[in-house]
Amino acid sequence: MTARKRLPKKIYETELLRLQAELVTMQEWVRSTGNRLVVIFEGRDAAGKGSAIKRVAEYLNPRVARIVALPAPTSREQTQWYFQRYVQHLPAAGEIVLFDRSWYNRAGVERVMGFCTEDEYRRFLHQCPIFEQMLIEDGVMLRKYWFSVSDTEQENRFRSRLEDPMRRWKLSPMDLESISRWEDYSRAKDAMTAKTNVPASPWFDVDSDDKRRARINMIAHLLSTVPYAPVEPPDLPLPERPPPTGYKRPSRKHINYVPDHAATLPKA
């Protein structure tokens, strides 16, 4: 990846807000037309997937656009067909699903950390393009993004999280082990894309050493691939408030109010 100057904050915030408004327009098109959209976010630990998903979903209706971030499979799920637990989270008509990691776990962390057998891994590489082709043939719009981060930048982000009590929860021993297994993850990613980067469902790499650029570039690309159009919102006239009919609120002494913590803050 070629090092580039960080996108200035003002330019970033202005363009991000414009793109987020377009995402709302796209959402209304998906909802009104009954389309189904799946967006997969994959990449190395600390590559910026989570923050990108946060910006995508920030102004969207959570009843239309859902974020799916599944935990480790249960003992029962481990006996199911591998794709089975993901199928139940796929969108119905008029819905968008954002996968914060997806079925590609098998080709990444499971492969590198030895959480699946060689047969399970090879079966996944064979079945995955078929599974995705079935989704596409059924009308699902599938978009796949891989967030790429350099080894130096990843290590810097890990160190930053270790020192930040508000973000330290983002790190696990397995995340930190990805440093020593950098080349293993690189080989796993190369093998995965060799089998699953097909014309019907291609991968799109996002250079994420600069998170601002990554978010802007990813959202702009997503919007460019969906044939959405503005949808005229329904006319919702605000009704007039009816005249009072004698209702009286109960005494305040019978209501449990939260304490006024704001009143204890220093005055500006």
Side-chain angles (χ1 to χ4, degrees):
M1 291 180 288
T2 303
R4 302 180 67 184
K5 184 178 179 181
R6 192 180 188 195
L7 189 66
K9 185 176 182 180
K10 185 174 181 180
I11 295 175
Y12 161 72
E13 291 179 341
T14 299
E15 180 61 6
L16 177 63
L17 190 60
R18 186 190 73 81
L19 292 172
Q20 287 175 323
E22 287 297 312
L23 285 171
V24 172
T25 300
M26 182 192 74
Q27 166 197 261
E28 290 305 289
W29 175 81
V30 170
R31 182 190 58 79
S32 65
T33 59
N35 273 285
R36 292 168 291 167
L37 174 61
V38 171
V39 186
I40 288 176
F41 295 78
E42 293 285 350
R44 294 182 185 272
D45 296 315
K49 301 178 300 297
S51 61
I53 294 171
K54 179 179 179 180
R55 271 63 178 192
V56 169
E58 188 170 4
Y59 292 102
L60 301 184
N61 183 344
R63 294 183 179 87
V64 175
R66 292 182 286 111
I67 299 173
V68 175
L70 298 185
T74 64
S75 57
R76 180 175 183 273
E77 288 172 333
Q78 289 174 355
T79 68
Q80 297 174 342
W81 176 47
Y82 177 71
F83 294 94
Q84 189 169 335
R85 74 184 191 125
Y86 294 100
V87 169
Q88 61 185 311
H89 296 284
L90 292 171
E95 294 180 349
I96 300 169
V97 171
L98 311 173
F99 275 103
D100 185 351
R101 296 204 181 278
S102 65
W103 45 85
Y104 282 100
N105 274 335
R106 174 134 296 176
V109 65
E110 290 191 19
R111 169 64 170 170
V112 173
M113 301 302 294
F115 295 155
C116 65
T117 67
E118 186 70 19
D119 284 345
E120 288 171 333
Y121 168 70
R122 296 194 180 282
R123 189 181 309 125
F124 169 82
L125 291 182
H126 170 70
Q127 291 183 349
C128 185
I130 300 172
F131 172 67
E132 293 180 355
Q133 183 62 39
M134 292 171 65
L135 297 181
I136 295 167
E137 288 178 358
D138 202 60
V140 173
M141 293 183 290
L142 178 62
R143 305 294 182 266
K144 304 187 302 191
Y145 292 99
W146 179 273
F147 284 71
S148 296
V149 63
S150 66
D151 52 355
T152 302
E153 181 61 23
Q154 183 193 52
E155 186 172 345
N156 289 339
R157 291 176 185 177
F158 281 160
R159 292 186 187 281
S160 176
R161 290 178 181 182
L162 282 170
E163 297 166 359
D164 186 349
M166 300 293 282
R167 296 187 300 146
R168 201 176 190 281
W169 63 269
K170 291 185 174 184
L171 285 179
S172 70
M174 194 177 302
D175 294 330
L176 298 179
E177 191 167 347
S178 65
I179 294 178
S180 59
R181 293 177 179 265
W182 179 270
E183 290 192 1
D184 293 335
Y185 274 103
S186 296
R187 294 187 183 98
K189 190 258 185 176
D190 293 344
M192 176 194 77
T193 53
K195 293 291 187 178
T196 63
N197 184 34
V198 297
S201 56
W203 278 102
F204 294 97
D205 272 38
V206 182
D207 184 340
S208 62
D209 268 12
D210 179 353
K211 287 187 177 183
R212 293 174 183 171
R213 289 184 186 275
R215 296 163 190 161
I216 292 295
N217 293 341
M218 177 263 147
I219 297 173
H221 180 269
L222 173 63
L223 289 167
S224 74
T225 68
V226 178
Y228 70 97
V231 176
E232 190 67 28
D235 186 21
L236 299 174
L238 188 66
E240 292 186 9
R241 188 177 298 278
T245 59
Y247 167 77
K248 292 184 179 179
R249 293 185 62 182
S251 171
R252 290 176 64 93
K253 66 181 180 180
H254 299 305
I255 300 175
N256 296 316
Y257 286 95
V258 299
D260 190 1
H261 173 73
T264 68
L265 301 178
K267 301 298 185 293

